[in-house]
Amino acid sequence: MPSLMIALTTLPSRDAAAALARHLVDARLAACVNILPACHSIYRWQGKVEAADEVLLIIKTSKTRQLALEQLICNMHPYELPELLYVPIAGGLNAYIQWIQQETLS
């Protein structure tokens, strides 16, 4: 199995999410980015419990693109500390796996 992963991040608006998703795909750092609206987050930040409506991005990428993906997200993200989590892809439809590899130049 190739070294592929899903990266997750949240943004404050659909426009910000769409702009970041477009940059990731244009730069071949992601094969595909799903934008899921209407996420409501409750979290502790700087000693206080906060709540915010956010947009979730599900980013399909390869391990070889992780550092560049992380740099782009940190540079473009409006949050002081962006959420960025990686989940390894353990398997999937072989043709889809190959497509992720091809589109991320891995």
Side-chain angles (χ1 to χ4, degrees):
M1 173 61 53
S3 186
L4 300 178
M5 61 187 179
I6 293 172
L8 303 171
T9 192
T10 54
L11 287 111
S13 71
R14 182 164 173 73
D15 288 343
L20 180 56
R22 173 68 65 177
H23 274 85
L24 291 170
V25 173
D26 284 346
R28 299 184 79 95
L29 299 177
C32 173
V33 179
N34 302 112
I35 302 171
L36 280 63
C39 171
H40 187 73
S41 299
I42 300 172
Y43 54 95
R44 184 174 300 278
W45 179 247
Q46 297 180 344
K48 292 176 25 186
V49 175
E50 303 280 350
D53 290 327
E54 297 181 297
V55 177
L56 175 65
L57 295 186
I58 302 172
I59 305 159
K60 276 74 85 178
T61 190
S62 63
K63 182 90 171 132
T64 60
R65 305 301 278 158
Q66 181 177 352
L67 181 59
L69 180 138
E70 193 167 307
Q71 289 172 340
L72 189 142
I73 288 175
C74 287
N75 288 336
M76 286 191 66
H77 209 288
Y79 292 163
E80 180 181 344
L81 178 60
E83 171 185 357
L84 184 55
L85 301 172
Y86 301 108
V87 180
I89 297 175
L93 181 66
N94 191 46
Y96 191 81
I97 297 297
Q98 290 174 357
W99 174 76
I100 294 172
Q101 287 180 281
Q102 179 183 14
E103 294 305 316
T104 58
L105 303 175
S106 56

